[in-house]
Amino acid sequence: MSLTNLKKMSLGVKFCGVKFENPLVVASGILGVTGASLRNVVKNGAGGVTTKSIWVSEHKGHPNPVMIANEHYMLNAVGLPDAGIEKAKLELGNYMKNQPAPLIANIVAGRVDDFAEVAEQVAALKPDLIEVNISCPNVEDEFGKPFACSMPDAARVTRVVRAKTKIPIIIKLSPNVLNIVEIARACVEAGADGFCAINTVGPGIMIDLETREPILANKVGGVSGPAIKPLSLKAVYDIHKAMPKIPIIGTGGITTGEDAIEMIMVGATLLGVGTAVYYRGIECFAKIAKEMEEWMKKHKVKSLDEIRGVAHAGSYSKRFTDFS
Ligand code: DHB
């Protein structure tokens, strides 16, 4: 028996030098406000956790209703509520005491200078990675178009965060652009180490037939869930094709183990899971991990490195030729 056959199957991955026992990380905005809830996510099978977006100071969100879903998608406009950096220090400090899995601290700001400030303060907490949210579609009334929708703005934010820390920085990109690759390239040139692709799509709108009005108080909200999976897969596919060495947290519509495997095949290293918590409960992390292992066993795949990026042109035929 060859060495590879003896090796045990593993879901383990490395992202910017950080080891994850499995690639499933809870996406920002989901169960990420307190240290205790982040721990609970790990207990339920996540390989890593992402905090809710942290602002320098308190930021009020939108009024209710902030969320509505059907079997195809979810619409949400929570408005990035947060108690600010001082509260985050307490909660993340709690999580970092005998840390159960890698921590991704997600930061947000409405002005470039504030990104520098929040990055500096969050970096002092020594998270494993810093994710920079430049792509929320729901605070346009307050701050204008997301930074992720413009190459110079995305690069400017990346540059000021880079100047504040050596911790790897992940830029969370918006799908709501004509060319996500050119934005991603500008971020890498400005010092980004990796990406999270994608943030929610739209915004979109849902109408209540009885009241004849938009359902959400904010009227519009970011679209997530199963319906956006083809869009997140395409974004990751394009970015990986253009920059195969830059690691990506593939996020958007991952609900099952097979969705997760597809996302690895287009080039993702980590997998963001958010809306699936609504559909399958907090147990979704353990369930998706188990389904991934079942798929791997059935297809004799021992590690995710074996299948990462195989969806790119030529990989299948090449492997086919190799085996013939
Ligand atoms: C919110 C933030 C996001 O980044 C997003 O994609 C959707 C919603 C929010 O807090 O409203």
Side-chain angles (χ1 to χ4, degrees):
M1 197 187 266
S2 76
L3 260 184
T4 41
N5 285 340
L6 288 171
K7 210 175 82 185
K8 216 172 151 273
M9 184 176 70
S10 160
L11 287 180
V13 292
K14 242 183 170 183
F15 187 101
C16 291
V18 181
K19 274 191 193 159
F20 290 73
E21 258 178 50
N22 75 60
L24 302 168
V25 298
V26 68
S28 183
I30 316 291
L31 303 167
V33 177
T34 67
S37 85
L38 291 171
R39 272 179 201 284
N40 197 27
V41 171
V42 177
K43 235 189 230 162
N44 279 281
V49 293
T50 315
T51 69
K52 194 154 171 24
S53 294
I54 302 165
W55 296 82
V56 177
S57 44
E58 187 184 359
H59 184 260
K60 292 228 181 308
H62 298 314
N64 281 323
V66 293
M67 195 183 112
I68 176 79
N70 62 26
E71 73 269 40
H72 305 295
Y73 50 80
M74 175 182 281
L75 213 63
N76 93 84
V78 186
L80 293 170
D82 180 49
I85 185 72
E86 293 309 321
K87 180 78 164 76
K89 281 180 186 167
L90 291 177
E91 295 301 338
L92 300 197
N94 165 340
Y95 181 84
M96 294 303 276
K97 275 185 229 144
N98 56 56
Q99 181 187 5
L103 175 73
I104 306 171
N106 182 298
I107 59 171
V108 70
R111 298 177 329 129
V112 175
D113 290 350
D114 289 345
F115 267 107
E117 166 93 34
V118 69
E120 184 167 32
Q121 300 221 37
V122 159
L125 303 171
K126 301 203 175 358
D128 297 281
L129 306 165
I130 295 179
E131 181 175 89
V132 187
N133 184 3
I134 56 169
S135 45
C136 173
N138 295 334
V139 287
E140 211 170 306
D141 290 350
E142 263 176 286
F143 303 110
K145 278 252 167 284
F147 296 108
C149 295
S150 135
M151 267 202 303
D153 288 347
R156 212 170 291 134
V157 173
T158 307
R159 214 171 291 119
V160 300
V161 173
R162 174 77 295 154
K164 292 293 180 188
T165 182
K166 290 198 164 60
I167 295 172
I169 57 179
I170 310 305
I171 306 298
K172 187 154 183 177
L173 296 171
S174 171
N176 312 314
V177 294
L178 282 179
N179 186 341
I180 199 167
V181 171
E182 71 180 16
I183 308 252
R185 266 194 214 288
C187 293
V188 167
E189 279 160 22
D193 298 291
F195 294 108
C196 177
I198 52 178
N199 209 319
T200 53
V201 175
I205 199 163
M206 282 172 85
I207 301 297
D208 181 327
L209 289 178
E210 299 310 315
T211 64
R212 305 178 179 196
E213 287 177 351
I215 294 171
L216 299 182
N218 189 53
K219 298 190 171 59
V220 302
V223 184
S224 64
I228 74 162
K229 192 183 72 176
L231 305 176
S232 59
L233 286 173
K234 167 71 161 56
V236 173
Y237 184 94
D238 286 350
I239 298 165
H240 184 74
K241 186 170 180 200
M243 291 173 282
K245 294 216 166 86
I246 305 289
I248 306 170
I249 308 176
T251 306
I254 297 175
T255 315
T256 67
E258 292 191 353
D259 296 336
I261 296 288
E262 274 187 82
M263 190 56 96
I264 300 283
M265 286 182 170
V266 292
T269 298
L270 288 175
L271 306 167
V273 174
T275 308
V277 175
Y278 169 82
Y279 292 107
R280 305 185 76 185
I282 195 171
E283 305 81 13
C284 67
F285 299 97
K287 287 180 180 167
I288 296 172
K290 182 162 171 276
E291 291 158 2
M292 290 177 80
E293 284 178 341
E294 282 165 4
W295 186 92
M296 288 165 74
K297 200 167 161 200
K298 189 166 162 204
H299 294 84
K300 300 191 171 34
V301 169
K302 296 242 166 11
S303 91
L304 296 174
D305 293 343
E306 278 176 48
I307 53 165
R308 180 165 308 105
V310 293
H312 289 265
S315 296
Y316 180 75
S317 12
K318 182 173 175 299
R319 285 186 313 145
F320 198 76
T321 323
D322 287 348
F323 284 120
S324 63

